[in-house]
């Protein structure tokens, strides 16, 4: 914490601040400058709350210095985390492909898509059984019925199942039928749900909220890890901006930003990240080129009949083409990524 | 829904679209223009999913026309809703003042603030027992202990208690001790929580998510109402933008925007809406002048020692001055608001 | 400037930073903390460029402390500036009303609106002769012809004329016919235009760019003032956000934010700030209640036939009602504002 | 244009709207629906102004359908534009590399960077002589002196010179010394400057404003083209969002978005798009993978001594590595891009 005094702050005001700092058990470092004094604070273990100082007389600003995270940092664990889901991995040398329909709609639909996903070499199948929908009148998913279909897909194709839970009871059900719990963007700040996921034996795919800062996203991961579950994969899925040519603005710079701070793997969702079918493949290629550990992609056998997110789903043919493209890029990337 | 064809769409592509529309059981209205054809859709009861059309050959764009809400609209209920909390109201002629500390920290703190709130003529006391905090290492509230202090405040001062619930179990507890359930900004899209609030006998204060569109906010209210609880108060608390001189950008235009569509009352939170002590009173005045039904304000007896949100809390003296100011504005507003 | 070192920075890296600071002629203040060292910099006259340090080995972050402005600050001029336009003022006790059509379309239109503006007691008439339009195919204003009509309005009604200039030559023309130069939101970063306005004898109304931070806006004023023209009025007109229920999100917190730093007057434009006719009056009331020095409002005698911005223009009747409303609020505000 | 009536609109209100449409010379297509009537408009050549209808009684909304651009569209010119700058091209099969320092600071600096740029195989050298700076107290560029250094670089290395002009007089100078005019993000809405660039014989690099929608950016290109200069290259350089881990949020989806509408080439600026040295190469790779026609990159021989933008400049070594990386990706991209 750095407390910056106003140009006209009195010596008394400066010494009052120093008093408060010392009362909190910290050490104060006053630095008188040409036009104003700044006071550094050391001795704190975590972040100091700026509000201790912001409204005191003579204070212009209180600036945070210490970062508030612990478990997600490279400081703690300099090696990259490799999340293991059975014999499949996210965060290692292989590009993790997680593909499937937005929502499980029927046995036939799930199996048609799963066959193509399996054929493409992907190891993960995604599909929603519990769907968070903006409108209460929209299709809300098949629920347990959907989870059972997913479990059958797992059995038949050997794909690892990634599916979303919306509440604590939902995690109980997902644990019964699936391999990885997805926490959706709308729930990134649902701390009760994060803590429950932190007590699960399953790995967690944590989507970034659409208006979450990097710090907030990493602290959401910290909420899961603090309960003991260190198997967390971050997923960038676009943020909300003024731009209207896409459903969200995919923030690919989040990948190098996470890499510099955290050991956790990070994947890209170009489907929600754009919301438009014709943009998914170009942004999937970009996601691999920026250095992501994997992709989360929506695929549907008949997008024009999809009960949700049809506009952004790839057809089976488009999906197969996309996989070919991204694998070619991943191949030339491997030596580069090692350098970074 | 309006489907706009590309300039070079063929007659065949147009008739394919018409076929899909008719298969869905709707009526198609083709309008051939100078450069392109547009096809209107009627006969649908709710919103039509644009993804049925967006990726079909020859389609340039599918534009939503029908709004997706039912219960919140003035169409349904042309009279403004007045939410009753015992003998106090939100949405009527009186300005609803909801004030108190961000978090209940102790009996002494709660009673010191409650005394001032009661003296000011406010009818509602707010204070958090369960605190949603970005960091798992920050103060998380006193829990049930905090609720018990709130219940004592109610008994001693006759103030109505407004407090936040973070999960379904939290609502059980809030129902036991308080008068109104607050759903926080981070939980505006927690649909399980919204549905549970919809089954409560207590009225609900629904804060807008910091990146929620007007539609999403109103549909969150719809989630509550569809379960049978029509006692919903909307609360604008600022949205997240590029601007850094405030914690959030308070979107006061949300008040006339809500008024034009919905019968629900709407209040303003200038504390979270700005995040800075010195901005709270000016924005509280503006909130009343724009026509809000009330204010939600953070007050603390010793803001510099607050365990959360100290930087934006008013002192007791500042709070009393603010109440004087907003009441004067509310008085001159009364005849104007009637006109709107 | 505060340079924060990484947790694992070596003593050598710290001393290298100190060396660079001293080479720049500044003084270094190392503060060793429990987990990392921070180094304060003093002795600099203006802002230090963080890029001197950000990429040096061992550096985690370089944080700006000194603010980059000089002439706009209260430090320099503790008294509020009152901008004088002939015998009218902006920034004093009176509420400045600046009203008129978006674009001057004809003599008849300008005079119909001017008559109502004059009747309302406003002292300023606004109207565009040179219109910045997103599309080159949209109406671009009457040019010199429009300026001549404005000059006639001035003569007949005694109103002060505020009109926009788009380029340096445009300022020559505006100086010939008008009383105050408007710099539009799109040109807030057109530094050649700002410098030219700084060499004018006319006062300047400087609109905030729709994605300008507070610092950028104040520095744009600084560009004008550094050339010698201190008669600058700031105008908040809404910023661009994800929200779609308004054309822009009016950032009323900009008023107290400016007040705390600068002596310059600030006015609110609720017309561009909302883009919707029915929102203009509520937000005009809020603008006065937040403490603005005036309002800039679009009025048209026949909005449904306006060549630009019809959707947000008030009718003459609506305008007259708005003036009554805001004057009542301004009256009760006067004693409050003195307190702030 | 589609005019959507309110649910309770009267038959009279509907027929009034039809009257206004017909008076404007257009054709009205009323579509009575189950709950409300919508009225389509055809017969218009360009976009209809929604404000003709938005405030008329009974109207809920007026929705734009026709797009406002002409010259930039694929409708007009289905073949991609290849911009020729002497014997170099942007928009063809080759990846265009435009590299150099943010600002020309000295002969020695320019030549040190130019040698590396030339060695890398790039055809374009960028460097600012006139610098738009947020603060009037920051380094503003060497002016004509800088242009002369650029002309020497051209002579010695055969590189094409790309440099920014800030005003009409600046374009006169740039035409004298350089090969391509850059219009910066701050000037994307400076219509006088755009028109002047449209009368130049030099090609134009048009940066997207940091809060410009796709439509606004394309219409800025239209302003240039309408004056007769069709040699326009679009440059995405990041948009301003709430995110703080980057200087801007690079919107790579702009590439497929532009491709679907326009024949103009589009390049990516990962330097301004991120503002952080360590993010430039990953985002440069992503820019190529998404399908951009080229890159605009800041390189400096001594970034820690740069007079502007040092934090985001690559060193010469980093730049050389980046070129190797992006060329490998471009090679595997060639067959894919042909498919899109």
């Amino acid at each position: 914490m750095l407390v910056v005094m106003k140009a006209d702050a009195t010596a008394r005001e400066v010494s009052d601040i120093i008093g408060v700092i010392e009362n909190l058990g910290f050490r104060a470092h006053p630095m008188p400058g040409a036009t104003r004094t700044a006071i550094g604070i050391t001795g704190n273990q975590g972040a100091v709350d700026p509000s201790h100082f912001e409204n005191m007389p003579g204070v212009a600003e209180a600036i945070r210095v210490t970062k508030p995270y612990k478990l997600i940092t490279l400081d703690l664990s300099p090696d990259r985390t490799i999340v293991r889901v059975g014999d499949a991995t996210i965060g290692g040398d292989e590009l993790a492909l997680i593909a499937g329909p937005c929502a499980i709609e029927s046995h036939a639909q799930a199996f048609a898509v799963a066959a193509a996903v399996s054929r493409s070499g992907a190891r993960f199948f995604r599909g929603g059984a519990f769907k968070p929908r903006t409108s209460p009148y929209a299709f809300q998913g098949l629920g347990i019925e959907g989870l059972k279909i997913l479990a059958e897909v797992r059995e038949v194709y050997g794909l690892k199942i990634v599916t979303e839970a919306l509440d604590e009871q939902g995690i109980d059900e997902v644990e019964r039928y699936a391999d990885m719990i997805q926490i959706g963007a709308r729930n990134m700040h649902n701390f009760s749900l994060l803590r429950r996921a932190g007590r699960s034996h399953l790995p967690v795919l944590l989507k970034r909220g659409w208006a979450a800062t990097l710090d907030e996203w990493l602290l959401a991961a910290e909420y899961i890890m603090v309960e003991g579950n260190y198997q967390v994969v971050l997923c960038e899925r676009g943020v909300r901006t003024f731009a209207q040519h896409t459903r969200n603005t995919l923030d690919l710079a989040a990948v190098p930003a996470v890499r510099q701070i955290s050991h956790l793997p990070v994947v890209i969702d170009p489907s929600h990240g754009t919301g438009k079918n014709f943009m998914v493949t170009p942004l999937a290629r970009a996601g691999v080129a920026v250095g992501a550990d994997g992709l989360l992609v929506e695929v549907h056998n008949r997008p024009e009949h999809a009960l949700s997110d049809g506009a952004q789903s790839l057809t089976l043919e488009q999906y197969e083409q996309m996989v070919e493209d991204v694998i070619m890029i991943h191949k030339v990337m491997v030596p580069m990524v090692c350098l970074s």
Side-chain angles (χ1 to χ4, degrees), chain A residues 243-293:
Chain A
Q244 300 299 308
H245 57 279
T246 44
R247 184 168 162 188
N248 293 288
T249 299
L250 193 63
D251 176 17
L252 290 179
V255 175
V258 166
R259 288 262 182 273
Q260 211 195 30
I261 299 173
S262 178
H263 51 84
L264 295 175
V266 54
V267 301
I268 293 292
D269 174 353
S271 304
H272 288 88
T274 63
K276 308 257 181 185
N277 173 285
F278 75 94
M279 293 179 174
V280 173
T281 296
L283 273 296
R285 292 190 312 242
V288 173
V290 89
D293 295 294

Side-chain angles (χ1 to χ4, degrees), chain A residues 48-90:
Chain A
V48 178
D49 188 342
S51 60
H52 288 298
F53 307 104
E54 274 184 346
N55 296 316
M56 288 186 66
V59 172
E61 214 175 342
I63 299 172
R64 276 221 170 115
V65 172
T66 308
K67 288 297 181 189
Y69 15 75
K70 297 182 182 167
L71 303 172
I72 62 98
T73 59
L74 287 168
D75 291 354
L76 189 89
S77 156
D79 289 335
R80 298 270 177 85
T81 290
I82 298 179
V83 169
R84 294 179 194 284
V85 189
D87 59 341
T89 58
I90 305 176

Side-chain angles (χ1 to χ4, degrees), chain A residues 225-236:
Chain A
M225 294 170 78
V226 88
E227 299 289 326
N229 187 349
Y230 281 41
Q231 298 286 90
V232 178
V233 175
L234 300 167
C235 177
E236 159 66 30

Side-chain angles (χ1 to χ4, degrees), chain A residues 19-339:
Chain A
V20 169
I21 292 167
E22 293 176 347
N23 279 344
L24 287 164
F26 306 145
R27 198 171 145 209
H29 300 257
M31 298 179 285
T35 55
R36 56 180 77 206
T37 294
I39 307 168
I41 302 178
T42 60
N44 50 312
Q45 285 306 320
V48 178
D49 188 342
S51 60
H52 288 298
F53 307 104
E54 274 184 346
N55 296 316
M56 288 186 66
V59 172
E61 214 175 342
I63 299 172
R64 276 221 170 115
V65 172
T66 308
K67 288 297 181 189
Y69 15 75
K70 297 182 182 167
L71 303 172
I72 62 98
T73 59
L74 287 168
D75 291 354
L76 189 89
S77 156
D79 289 335
R80 298 270 177 85
T81 290
I82 298 179
V83 169
R84 294 179 194 284
V85 189
D87 59 341
T89 58
I90 305 176
D93 288 342
E94 227 178 316
L95 183 71
L97 292 171
I98 309 166
C102 175
I104 299 300
E105 298 168 9
S106 69
H107 194 277
Q109 173 243 24
F111 272 72
V113 178
V117 167
S118 172
R119 232 175 12 243
S120 77
R123 304 296 309 276
F124 299 88
F125 187 70
R126 56 148 293 158
F130 306 108
K131 297 302 307 170
R133 301 302 297 274
T134 302
S135 165
Y137 310 116
F139 173 62
Q140 311 270 323
L142 296 181
I144 307 281
E145 194 51 45
L147 290 177
K148 287 181 179 166
I149 295 171
L150 286 166
E152 282 185 67
V153 165
R154 172 165 59 174
E155 197 148 324
V156 173
Y157 292 103
L159 293 164
K160 311 299 170 196
I161 303 299
V162 183
T163 195
E164 180 166 1
L166 298 181
D167 46 31
E168 299 181 49
Q169 188 191 330
I171 293 188
D172 297 345
E173 301 295 348
V174 169
E175 285 175 333
R176 198 158 300 142
Y177 295 102
D179 301 295
M180 189 170 194
I181 304 163
Q182 179 178 314
I183 304 289
R186 288 175 180 84
N187 278 315
M188 197 206 81
H189 271 134
N190 181 341
F191 300 125
S192 303
L193 189 65
L194 295 175
R195 287 193 189 278
R196 171 65 185 81
R199 294 188 299 271
S200 180
H201 65 283
L202 292 187
V204 179
L205 182 79
L206 176 64
K207 294 194 128 188
R208 179 178 177 190
W210 61 60
T213 62
L214 188 69
D215 272 10
E216 290 169 347
W217 188 22
L218 293 173
L219 284 167
E222 194 93 15
Y223 260 98
I224 296 168
M225 294 170 78
V226 88
E227 299 289 326
N229 187 349
Y230 281 41
Q231 298 286 90
V232 178
V233 175
L234 300 167
C235 177
E236 159 66 30
R237 44 76 72 208
V239 293
R240 188 163 272 181
T241 72
F242 68 88
Q244 300 299 308
H245 57 279
T246 44
R247 184 168 162 188
N248 293 288
T249 299
L250 193 63
D251 176 17
L252 290 179
V255 175
V258 166
R259 288 262 182 273
Q260 211 195 30
I261 299 173
S262 178
H263 51 84
L264 295 175
V266 54
V267 301
I268 293 292
D269 174 353
S271 304
H272 288 88
T274 63
K276 308 257 181 185
N277 173 285
F278 75 94
M279 293 179 174
V280 173
T281 296
L283 273 296
R285 292 190 312 242
V288 173
V290 89
D293 295 294
L295 296 172
L296 184 74
V297 185
E298 289 188 357
V299 188
H300 199 284
N301 54 330
R302 299 197 305 170
E304 70 282 9
H305 292 90
L307 295 180
S308 63
D309 281 353
Q312 72 197 31
S313 292
L314 295 182
T315 62
L316 302 184
E317 294 70 34
Q318 289 170 331
Y319 167 70
E320 281 159 21
Q321 184 62 55
M322 182 212 80
V323 172
E324 272 186 40
D325 287 8
V326 297
I327 283 178
M328 282 181 67
I329 290 176
H330 188 250
K331 265 186 204 147
V332 300
M333 284 283 297
V334 172
M336 305 180 202
V337 175
C338 295
L339 298 170

